[in-house]
Amino acid sequence: IESNSFSKTIALLNTYKIIGYRVCEVEFQNVKGIDNEYLESLRELEIMGKCYKIHSVEGEEITHCRVCKKVGDGERVKADKGIKIIEEFWDGSDIYMFDYGLLSVIVTEKIKKIFEEHEITNVRFIPLSELKLR
């Protein structure tokens, strides 16, 4: 994430005491021709929050391989009408990811409102009930 927008976003996350992430240094490879000052300004937002179990909106558990975290094709079909979290398996973070090898970053309504109120526009919000796994 670039420095200016990143700084604004991190300031908001800190101001509103958002939990579930940490800011990390970035390691680079093959960066010939890219300004060193620019590279030094970049940071990674690592998502630490987790949700360990999800269901389809119809209530069927969506399972995954406990070793590789992949969700099989048969399980992905269950999510065609959307998914929902199982709160007792969610760590309560404002920003989190599923323990399913799925790359979607999930945020609470609190973050959505903060971003909209402060005109953070480099994100797209999709309701969980509309999130597809395939």
Side-chain angles (χ1 to χ4, degrees):
I1 300 176
E2 285 190 54
S3 184
N4 279 346
S5 62
F6 186 77
S7 297
K8 179 180 177 182
T9 302
I10 294 303
L12 285 172
L13 296 177
N14 287 332
T15 298
Y16 288 93
K17 298 182 180 5
I18 299 302
I19 59 171
Y21 74 96
R22 70 179 175 186
V23 178
C24 303
E25 298 288 325
V26 180
E27 292 183 28
F28 299 99
Q29 298 176 1
N30 303 322
V31 293
K32 292 180 184 175
I34 300 175
D35 181 49
N36 216 23
E37 187 176 325
Y38 170 76
L39 292 174
E40 290 173 1
S41 73
L42 299 177
R43 298 291 178 267
E44 175 186 359
L45 184 71
E46 184 178 359
I47 308 305
M48 304 300 292
K50 293 283 185 212
C51 181
Y52 299 97
K53 189 178 281 194
I54 57 176
H55 282 191
S56 70
V57 292
E58 292 145 342
E60 288 185 89
E61 182 179 349
I62 299 170
T63 61
H64 64 288
C65 174
R66 298 200 190 287
V67 176
C68 72
K69 308 291 187 195
K70 287 186 86 176
V71 177
D73 290 338
E75 294 296 304
R76 289 176 184 270
V77 170
K78 292 179 185 178
D80 281 352
K81 293 184 180 170
I83 60 176
K84 64 181 179 180
I85 67 166
I86 305 304
E87 288 196 27
E88 59 260 26
F89 294 95
W90 167 49
D91 69 3
S93 295
D94 295 301
I95 185 168
Y96 57 99
M97 294 180 78
F98 295 122
D99 187 36
Y100 280 64
L102 306 173
L103 297 178
S104 297
V105 174
I106 312 299
V107 300
T108 59
E109 188 68 25
K110 176 181 178 180
I111 290 181
K112 181 179 183 287
K113 287 178 182 176
I114 292 167
F115 279 30
E116 290 172 345
E117 186 178 304
H118 294 277
E119 300 178 357
I120 304 293
T121 59
N122 57 345
V123 296
R124 188 175 97 182
F125 297 104
I126 302 169
L128 280 178
S129 61
E130 296 175 20
L131 185 64
K132 306 293 186 238
L133 301 183
R134 60 185 183 127

